[in-house]
Amino acid sequence: MALELIGGTVVETLIGELIKAILDEGKKAAEFQSVFDRLQSTLISIGPTIQEIERLNKESDRSKETEQLVRMLKEGKELIQKCSKVTWWHYHKKWKYSNKLLDLDESLLRFFQVDMAVQGFRDIKEIRLGQRDPYHFKLGPCQAPDPPSLTVGLDIPLQELKMRLFRDDASVIVVSAPGGCGKTTLAKMLCHDHQVKENFKNNIFYVTVSKAFNLNAIVQSLFQHNGHGVPDFQNDEDAVNQLEQLLKQIAPAPTLLVLDDVWSGSESLLDNFVFEMPKYKILVTSRFEFPRFGSTYKLPLLKDEDAMTLFRSSAFQQDGRSYMPDEDLVEKIVEGCKGFPLALRVVGRSLCGQPAEAWESRVLTWSNGQSIFSSDSDLLLCLQSSLDALADKGILKECFMDLGSFPEDQKIPATALIDMWEELYKLHTGGVFAINNLQELSFRNLLTLVDARKDESDVDGCYNDTYVMLHDLLRELAIYQSSQEPIEQRKRLIVDLSGGKVPNWWTQANQQHFGARLLSISTDELFSSSWCNIQTPEVEALILNFQSKENYTLPEFMKQMEKLKVLVLTNNGPSPAQLINFSVLGSLPSLKRIRLEQVRIPPLCNTTAEFKNLEKISLVMCKISEALSNRSIQISNLFPNLVELNIDYCNDLVELLEGLCDLVELKKLSISNCPKLSALPKGIGKLGNLDVLRLRDCVKLSGLPDSIGRLRKLSILDISGCLQIKEIPKQMGELCNLRKIHMRECWSLCKSELPASVMNLVGLKKVICDTETAKLWEPFEYHLKNLRISVPEENINLNWL
């Protein structure tokens, strides 16, 4: 079986010979059997990867990449032959050669985990420099995420699932288990398994479906995954028909479609993806079973040993300084979790570092004999006890419950949470306390914190690339916690109108008065935009989640929200939607922060509103060219007190209006990932209070205006990823308060020199750059005594996918 995986090239032949040597000599040297088994497992696992590397090396004429591996394999064969000659009474030699075998195993793993990763980074960099065809790397929207670093008890389920997957008679496989048992983790492991990747190659599609799924959006992502153009679908039937044609183009190559988190009642959705084609497989993960679709794999709960391992990884600190309870007490806690992975992690984390009384109290609360998994509601009650540990953590429990205001299976932007919490809980610290709360909740395994920054060495208060992922069950827990009071008295009111479902009280909302401070309303394409006149005068934060590719009308009832301070509006549809009734925002006297994602903003010249108290605007993936189409617009009259402006991934932004320079209160200006932006306003120097200027990854930005020297309060400048900036204006030496510069990947700038005036930047303390850019600063290090040049390690971060 092992030898069938190997064959063909020199490296593959050597691996085959090494495995054969292990099998042959292992019979003679039983003393080394456990080490032999470990080495054999490593060799088999790297086999498919070797085949792919050898194939790519042939295409790119890079045979030298594997010379080091060839040498290791030859030495390994000689080492195994020596082991066969060691007699059982030579303990010293046995110890010596066992360590050499372990060193060989570690060297092989390091070669693939480190050396190959370095080669992969070089390949990606060559793509950006135009030296390599980018289509060698197809990272589409349906790429399977990496599984967690620690996976326990899933090795056997993975092997069993692979056996079902490779059977000819299995076209649809449903992995079923209660929420939080590891179904999604198992699906990710399967997609990244060597044998599975070798069989399906680039035709592995991973889609998270969720309860409120959008068929058109799913099909569009499947088209985008391998670089196909996305057609306009007339309706769902047309989308399914065109998907079938796409899959037939891929055939007869094996294809795997993973549909993660499919809910009960979604049989009709599954029907849309089932096609009679050879070598086409569908894997479904769900809390529910779908007998009509044939094979169901019931993911078992963890066995006692695995449950203990997972619990200990969360409950005990690695340094051993936390309280270590009696083994009997630990076994009772683990037994109470019934092998449920999520409960083991969350309960373990809540007890980590706690005194003996906390452990004993937890056991007593479970001593009534009730099963933790008798129903999902029982599990919620169990997890609720983990939240009780947050009672003495200030507002941490409130912050966790706020997370239920966002849709399931969506990345929650950390910046949106910062805006909410700074106003709701008076955390005016530039996001520091808010991020600390997220980290604390992450440590307790109550959420997953995802950081997609390329460089994690410096934050400088910028969290645009930081997101929160919340497990479905934990989201349900947050909503459950928030709904314990009568609806009129709740602190947060969470309304889901998706799927045409309307709660009974919604139709009578005109006569009810609600005291919530946070209001969240989620809708989808079935929503008619017919709002009721809900009475929520106490609301300070409004979250509007919707799915639309055409129009979205802001509700009229917002006019009554005189205390509203924060608006977070997010379109989860496939394309930006036109924002209707935009002028309603001008009637909100307390509004301070607006975050808009994936919407078309109407021309600002059409509104008579004045946002007198607005301090922060964040625009993400928005179409803003219409809003700025009138050059005569007086932006300073619309936003007289604007302090922070963030524009991210706005693809139609070509230039900024000169009137932007009249926003004299502006302290932070961040424009990132806007590929068409070519120039800044010449009068940008009028922004005399500007403290932070970020221009990250604006690849067509050709330079900085000469007036930048008048920004005397500027302390942070970020031009990383601005590929076309060829020179720095000499006026930059006038920035007397500049203390930090980010300038990685400014490749055109590397062809010139810095102006001599940078010697006047006596307050400059740090420049974050790459190796090439660092050379520009070498002539000035002697004159700038406080300057430190920082070249962080290259980080290939795919968390943004």
Side-chain angles (χ1 to χ4, degrees), residues 34-91:
S34 61
V35 187
F36 281 172
D37 289 344
R38 175 174 173 176
L39 183 58
Q40 180 181 342
S41 176
T42 298
L43 291 168
I44 292 174
S45 67
I46 67 178
T49 305
I50 283 292
Q51 293 175 345
E52 184 67 8
I53 291 172
E54 287 289 298
R55 181 184 67 81
L56 292 175
N57 282 346
K58 285 181 179 179
E59 294 177 1
S60 57
D61 192 25
R62 284 190 172 175
S63 58
K64 293 184 178 180
E65 301 285 4
T66 50
E67 287 182 354
Q68 179 186 354
L69 181 59
V70 169
R71 177 176 51 78
M72 285 191 290
L73 294 174
K74 289 181 177 179
E75 292 175 355
K77 185 178 178 180
E78 295 175 1
L79 178 61
I80 290 173
Q81 292 172 344
K82 292 180 180 178
C83 290
S84 66
K85 300 176 181 179
V86 177
T87 53
W88 65 269
W89 60 82
H90 286 136
Y91 297 107

Side-chain angles (χ1 to χ4, degrees), residues 382-592:
C382 172
L383 292 178
Q384 180 178 333
S385 66
S386 297
L387 291 185
D388 293 340
L390 302 179
D392 61 343
K393 298 294 183 179
I395 62 169
L396 203 56
K397 185 175 180 180
E398 297 294 323
C399 290
F400 171 77
M401 292 191 288
D402 288 342
L403 299 178
S405 305
F406 295 85
E408 64 174 342
D409 296 319
Q410 296 291 337
K411 290 181 179 179
I412 305 173
T415 51
L417 297 172
I418 290 172
D419 288 343
M420 286 171 46
W421 294 344
E422 290 205 343
E423 296 300 334
L424 287 175
Y425 308 123
K426 312 302 180 187
L427 302 180
H428 297 290
T429 58
V432 175
F433 284 174
I435 292 295
N436 182 65
N437 286 343
L438 289 175
Q439 290 171 341
E440 180 68 23
L441 292 171
S442 177
F443 293 152
R444 295 171 179 269
N445 286 298
L446 292 172
L447 57 81
T448 300
L449 203 55
V450 179
D451 198 332
R453 284 173 294 168
K454 298 178 183 177
D455 174 15
E456 300 180 8
S457 62
D458 280 86
V459 177
D460 291 334
C462 181
Y463 303 102
N464 290 351
D465 295 320
T466 304
Y467 301 89
V468 171
M469 294 296 292
L470 194 63
H471 190 281
D472 292 350
L473 202 59
L474 291 172
R475 178 177 178 271
E476 289 181 19
L477 175 62
I479 296 174
Y480 174 81
Q481 285 279 340
S482 299
S483 60
Q484 295 306 294
E485 299 174 329
I487 191 169
E488 297 87 354
Q489 301 174 19
R490 293 176 188 172
K491 296 179 182 179
R492 54 189 67 77
L493 187 58
I494 302 173
V495 186
D496 188 356
L497 303 178
S498 301
K501 299 178 182 179
V502 178
N504 294 331
W505 61 265
W506 180 261
T507 56
Q508 303 174 356
N510 295 344
Q511 289 80 40
Q512 288 181 288
H513 183 281
F514 301 92
R517 295 181 64 201
L518 187 155
L519 173 62
S520 169
I521 303 178
S522 298
T523 59
D524 58 13
E525 291 181 338
L526 297 179
F527 183 65
S528 63
S529 295
S530 178
W531 296 101
C532 69
N533 190 26
I534 188 172
Q535 306 292 316
T536 53
E538 303 300 320
V539 166
E540 297 180 46
L542 175 62
I543 303 173
L544 297 175
N545 308 299
F546 67 97
Q547 292 183 18
S548 176
K549 59 182 178 182
E550 295 180 357
N551 300 323
Y552 182 78
T553 303
L554 292 174
E556 281 289 322
F557 63 71
M558 290 177 62
K559 292 182 178 180
Q560 305 171 18
M561 298 180 176
E562 295 186 354
K563 296 183 180 181
L564 183 65
K565 298 177 181 178
V566 181
L567 171 65
V568 178
L569 189 148
T570 304
N571 177 17
N572 295 307
S575 58
Q578 185 68 46
L579 207 54
I580 308 297
N581 200 22
F582 184 78
S583 60
V584 71
L585 302 182
S587 62
L588 303 171
S590 301
L591 189 61
K592 292 185 177 181

Side-chain angles (χ1 to χ4, degrees), residues 215 335 476 677 741:
L215 178 61
E335 182 181 357
E476 289 181 19
L677 180 66
I741 302 176

